[in-house]
Amino acid sequence: MQEFDLLVVGGGPGGYVAAIRAAQRGLSVGVVEKEKAGGVCLNWGCIPTKAMLRSAEVYETVLHAADFGINVGDVSVDYDAISRRKDDVVKGLTDGVAGLLKANGVTVINGHARFTGPTTLDVYATGESPLGAGGPRYAAEPTGAEPIEQVSARDVIIATGSVPVQLPLPGADLPGVITSDGAFGLQEVPKRLTVIGGSAVGAEWASLFNTLGSEVTIVEMLDTLVPAEDAEIGKALGRSFGKSGIKVLTGATVSGIEQADGALRVAVDGAKPQQVDADVVLFGVGRKPNTAQLDLERAGVSTDQRGFIGVDEALRTDVEHVYAIGDVTGKALLAHVASHQGVVAAETIAGHHARIDYDVIPAATFTHPEIASVGLTEAQAKEAGHEVVVGKMPFAALGRAKSYGDTEGFMKVVAGAKYGEVLGVHIIGPSASDLITEGSLAMALEATLDELAETIHAHPTLGEIGMEAAMVALGLPIHVAPPKKR
């Protein structure tokens, strides 16, 4: 039996970060990982989708090269090459993580872990996790009746992440009906794609394949796309998608899928019931904790009705010496949250102090246009009892956006009316995912509108939008017309 000070179950963005930090603090650390280092984020989520979205962005830019005075010849999509580039990016990063674990003295055990007690586990060999031709991804499953390794540790961190949700609809098991994982198995750009779910995952795949030439329909149950975002952001994305040719059906649900006339026929219920034919149907409705076959009951670790593991502020579960981080906690299913939780758990186990502020968590959606946000939406701020002021600045008013050739969207700052404290920042437009950092820092430092407005921003930049939006909220705009007097 191998023995460690700390054993981390799962080598994703939470698990590998926790392992490295604990090793830096002098602990002997082992990681059990059944696939490749990097978890969903590097292998099946954040990184591969962004690599493919970047290819789509380049394609879109070249199509409009003439607008910038650049003449090009025929332009076409080589989907095989896009996939190969994605694979190269993923391999580079997963190899890099494996190298970092090794450099920090972390022992990696390949296999599937199952608890035999609170801090003892058996590790089983796993089979392959192939991607069928557009079919669902089958996660590597434990094989064999006997474990290949037995492991014990003083402390254990559960960091096994999440898996896509596939709704139990009639026809959900038909060929061509896939999850976001299964989308990586597609061999070509689908001619017609229907995406069920307009959250970040569904919206990104819709944006990607629309740019590459698919006829895309997106079905969202709530009134706006990306419903976790500020309502104005969701409406703006819907308008943008509509202009780009995506058919957006909000306030609608799918009641079933069937094969008809050589297509997947999707029955959509809503204000206007209709049928939508597709070659591929993609579920983008969310994720659930990946705790199946961990045998948590043997460790005594309890979960809620949805399967998430409850933790305290230091990521401790209800079992002594057992911690949980990342998507399995249900706090915020984001890679950067998992990483920060990993640091907090590792520091706690090593006898140090660290904290995480769940009120200041940025989120980004890599559609075109990009979306990013942090803090409260305008509606949430009002529901929490705040009197608010709002400043909204369009990218079209920025010289850098005009020269860059991308003026769609805006930044919206929500602040307290009395003191001007920043309560939330919401962006749709170019480089939103990079620009949101200013909003996160402002909230972390309890900055006010005055402080944002008085901070000199470089010109001409997209980043000026933060200063300008603050000025609008203060009623002192420079580069947009003043609000009309009542």
Side-chain angles (χ1 to χ4, degrees):
M1 177 176 285
Q2 292 198 61
E3 297 182 357
F4 300 95
D5 294 327
L6 171 65
L7 182 71
V8 182
V9 184
Y16 82 73
V17 168
I20 289 172
R21 177 51 57 89
Q24 290 171 342
R25 291 301 191 185
L27 304 184
S28 63
V29 183
V31 171
V32 180
E33 172 54 54
K34 67 179 183 178
E35 297 189 63
K36 294 180 181 178
V40 168
C41 179
L42 267 64
N43 290 284
W44 307 106
C46 321
I47 299 304
T49 53
K50 280 34 167 198
M52 295 176 75
L53 282 160
R54 174 58 178 159
S55 292
E57 181 183 25
V58 171
Y59 176 58
E60 180 79 6
T61 299
V62 175
L63 286 177
H64 294 92
D67 296 342
F68 297 85
I70 307 298
N71 297 317
V72 297
D74 292 337
V75 182
S76 62
V77 171
D78 184 342
Y79 194 70
D80 284 343
I82 290 174
S83 295
R84 288 195 301 273
R85 178 181 181 273
K86 173 261 296 179
D87 291 341
D88 288 343
V89 171
V90 168
K91 186 178 186 304
L93 288 170
T94 55
D95 286 352
V97 170
L100 288 171
L101 289 168
K102 183 178 180 180
N104 282 277
V106 176
T107 299
V108 177
I109 304 169
N110 295 115
H112 180 100
R114 284 176 163 167
F115 282 92
T116 58
T119 57
T120 57
L121 300 96
D122 286 344
V123 180
Y124 292 80
T126 58
E128 296 296 319
S129 56
L131 281 170
R137 179 171 73 91
Y138 297 95
E141 298 292 345
T143 60
E146 298 298 325
I148 59 172
E149 197 79 62
Q150 293 180 314
V151 191
S152 69
R154 187 188 67 204
D155 294 283
V156 175
I157 295 177
I158 302 167
T160 49
S162 62
V163 294
V165 170
Q166 189 162 357
L167 297 177
L169 294 174
D173 57 349
L174 289 171
V177 181
I178 62 175
T179 65
S180 54
D181 284 352
F184 293 111
L186 293 174
Q187 304 299 305
E188 60 185 7
V189 176
K191 183 177 180 182
R192 297 168 298 179
L193 172 70
T194 295
V195 178
I196 302 175
S199 62
V201 171
E204 285 187 356
W205 283 109
S207 182
L208 169 66
F209 281 119
N210 172 68
T211 302
L212 296 180
S214 291
E215 181 183 316
V216 178
T217 300
I218 185 167
V219 183
E220 168 55 44
M221 179 176 65
L222 298 179
D223 292 335
T224 62
L225 296 178
V226 287
E229 301 290 344
D230 188 275
E232 286 193 74
I233 298 292
K235 291 175 182 176
L237 182 65
R239 290 192 297 269
S240 179
F241 272 11
K243 290 177 183 177
S244 67
I246 297 175
K247 185 177 182 180
V248 178
L249 304 177
T250 53
T253 59
V254 172
S255 57
I257 307 165
E258 63 180 3
Q259 289 181 320
D261 299 327
L264 292 167
R265 185 155 293 165
V266 182
V268 180
D269 297 332
K272 183 182 178 182
Q274 57 190 289
Q275 294 180 325
V276 179
D277 284 353
D279 300 297
V280 174
V281 176
L282 189 152
F283 281 100
V285 292
R287 303 183 68 85
K288 61 183 180 180
N290 181 27
T291 54
Q293 302 186 50
L294 283 179
D295 292 349
L296 290 178
E297 64 279 1
R298 291 189 177 184
V301 175
S302 60
T303 62
D304 64 17
Q305 291 181 338
R306 299 176 298 164
F308 292 110
I309 300 171
V311 291
D312 66 10
E313 70 283 352
L315 289 311
R316 303 180 188 92
T317 69
D318 54 359
V319 175
E320 191 174 8
H321 297 294
V322 180
Y323 296 70
I325 62 174
D327 289 3
V328 294
T329 69
K331 294 290 187 180
L333 278 63
L334 297 165
H336 44 283
V337 173
S339 295
H340 204 98
Q341 287 178 323
V343 170
V344 172
E347 295 284 18
T348 301
I349 291 167
H352 297 268
H353 176 71
R355 61 182 291 273
I356 182 169
D357 184 356
Y358 291 106
D359 291 331
V360 187
I361 296 176
T365 302
F366 294 84
T367 47
H368 183 76
E370 278 188 7
I371 292 170
S373 63
V374 65
L376 300 177
T377 66
E378 182 178 357
Q380 289 170 339
K382 290 177 179 177
E383 288 170 6
H386 294 282
E387 290 187 29
V388 302
V389 291
V390 172
K392 196 163 82 170
M393 182 70 182
F395 280 97
L398 298 182
R400 173 60 175 161
K402 283 187 174 295
S403 62
Y404 191 70
D406 193 347
T407 59
E408 185 175 13
F410 57 86
M411 174 187 277
K412 178 178 179 179
V413 177
V414 180
K418 185 175 182 180
Y419 300 109
E421 72 278 17
V422 178
L423 301 172
V425 177
H426 311 276
I427 311 170
I428 180 168
S431 299
S433 58
D434 298 310
L435 296 174
I436 198 60
T437 300
E438 180 173 31
S440 298
L441 189 61
M443 290 189 63
L445 297 178
E446 300 180 351
T448 64
L449 293 172
D450 285 315
E451 289 166 328
L452 280 180
E454 292 167 3
T455 298
I456 299 174
H457 289 58
H459 174 79
T461 63
L462 297 175
E464 290 175 277
I465 198 165
M467 173 184 69
E468 297 282 356
M471 290 181 181
V472 173
L474 290 167
L476 300 168
I478 298 295
H479 292 104
V480 292
K484 294 180 180 179
K485 295 181 179 180
R486 295 183 178 180

